[in-house]
Amino acid sequence: MAKPQGVKYRGSIHDFPNFDPNQDAEALYTAMKGFGSDKEAILELITSRSNRQRQEISQSYKSLYGKDLMADLKSEISGDLARLILGLMMPPAHYDAKQLKKAMEGAGTDEKALIEILATRTNAEIRAICEAYKEDYHKSLEDALSSDTSGHFRRILISLATGNREEGGEDRNQAREDAQVAAEILEIADTPSGDKTSLETRFMTILCTRSYPHLRRVFQEFVKMTNYDVEHTIKKEMSGDVRDVFVAIVQSVKNKPLFFADKLYKSMKGAGTDDKTLTRIMVSRSEIDLLNIRREFIEKYDKSLHQAIEGDTSGDFLKALLAICGGED
């Protein structure tokens, strides 16, 4: 996974030591048996096991009781807590596929969710999501995006959904050329702009297919060339979903954990919590870079993610979120 040199991505959830899937399956069965479930026991167990281990618990549960653990959990818990716990129980690629499907269901499309997932996943993650999508919904992700989005935005999302981003390092000469294209499309270069559409396509290709290290170099060259920051310029010169997806790619390239820290902060800011976004990020980043996200969060907002969650949620949902968060900074 490409990242700034020397930064190690760390999740907050790891394999549980001395793990025994049969024992865990029994504990969950007991917690759900009889009248009224022991929600605390359920959430404590599930938030302290890794995803790989949760899959094993599901299998043990099936072989011990002949029942589907997900279905049993669904009948015992509801609302935000259910969304969080059931999310943790799904294999990551299937979880992401489900979030994409949900974002495209119904009348309005949730562009923010589509952008957040497709602009930040690695090639390997994207390919796994495409397979999971096909398996779960008998339709390719590309077809779903095609019928649910349009225009330039659709082309960008479909390009990201191919999972064909280059994996190599930077190419300085190429980076200068790429920066020049960016300067022209953002109309701050001195050269007379050529055909707008072909420039837009080139700009899209650069942002959607170049490797992260290469794009970092492009952004540096862009500043040298124009004295402007590329993110700031995209925000100023572009609009709508196209602007939002390009900004997300740039932010993700610059500092992915910070991108997610910002999203978490926004999900809890002001009146009412955006529980869906909060849940989606906590679940999907828990084993990848949640510790890095926590560090960026406290640095930028002068309060810990733990404090923000405490101030904004309540009950078992709060307990489960804090368990995933994994401590106070």
Side-chain angles (χ1 to χ4, degrees), residues 233-247:
T233 311
I234 290 171
K235 284 178 176 165
K236 196 163 138 273
E237 299 294 334
M238 296 188 150
S239 62
D241 295 329
V242 171
R243 179 197 61 193
D244 294 344
V245 68
F246 282 156
V247 166

Side-chain angles (χ1 to χ4, degrees), residues 136-317:
D136 296 344
Y137 308 112
H138 313 294
K139 182 180 189 175
S140 76
L141 175 59
E142 187 180 323
D143 285 350
L145 289 167
S146 262
S147 51
D148 206 72
T149 57
S150 61
H152 215 64
F153 182 55
R154 166 165 65 195
R155 286 170 56 205
I156 298 162
L157 292 183
I158 289 174
S159 174
L160 291 172
T162 57
N164 277 332
R165 190 177 285 288
E166 292 157 8
E167 304 269 7
E170 58 184 66
D171 171 339
R172 291 210 167 186
N173 293 333
Q174 180 69 60
R176 266 185 228 103
E177 276 177 43
D178 289 347
Q180 181 64 40
V181 170
E184 284 184 33
I185 186 70
L186 296 167
E187 292 179 349
I188 49 178
D190 309 330
T191 50
S193 282
D195 170 21
K196 189 94 162 124
T197 321
S198 71
L199 268 175
E200 282 189 351
T201 306
R202 281 174 70 192
F203 186 52
M204 176 185 104
T205 304
I206 291 165
L207 284 182
C208 295
T209 67
R210 302 282 196 258
S211 73
Y212 272 31
H214 179 81
L215 282 172
R216 277 188 205 107
R217 170 63 61 191
V218 174
F219 301 160
Q220 285 163 5
E221 295 293 338
F222 184 87
V223 174
K224 271 190 221 161
M225 205 176 277
T226 65
N227 286 324
Y228 290 103
D229 170 68
V230 73
E231 180 186 335
H232 177 76
T233 311
I234 290 171
K235 284 178 176 165
K236 196 163 138 273
E237 299 294 334
M238 296 188 150
S239 62
D241 295 329
V242 171
R243 179 197 61 193
D244 294 344
V245 68
F246 282 156
V247 166
I249 295 169
V250 172
Q251 289 176 340
S252 180
V253 168
K254 284 182 177 173
N255 183 337
K256 199 179 283 188
L258 177 59
F259 170 84
F260 286 116
D262 286 339
K263 292 274 172 277
L264 284 171
Y265 180 76
K266 286 194 186 95
S267 77
M268 295 183 277
K269 204 180 86 189
T273 310
D274 175 358
D275 295 327
K276 286 190 175 125
T277 300
L278 176 57
T279 299
R280 187 174 59 240
I281 295 175
M282 294 297 283
V283 169
S284 63
R285 307 317 290 181
S286 59
E287 288 182 43
I288 299 175
D289 53 4
L290 195 54
L291 292 185
N292 308 71
I293 293 169
R294 267 171 44 184
R295 194 174 315 124
E296 297 293 348
F297 194 98
I298 196 163
E299 246 172 57
K300 181 161 179 184
Y301 298 109
D302 283 334
K303 67 169 164 183
S304 66
L305 178 56
H306 193 282
Q307 281 169 311
I309 291 168
E310 258 183 336
D312 213 72
T313 58
S314 60
D316 290 320
F317 182 51

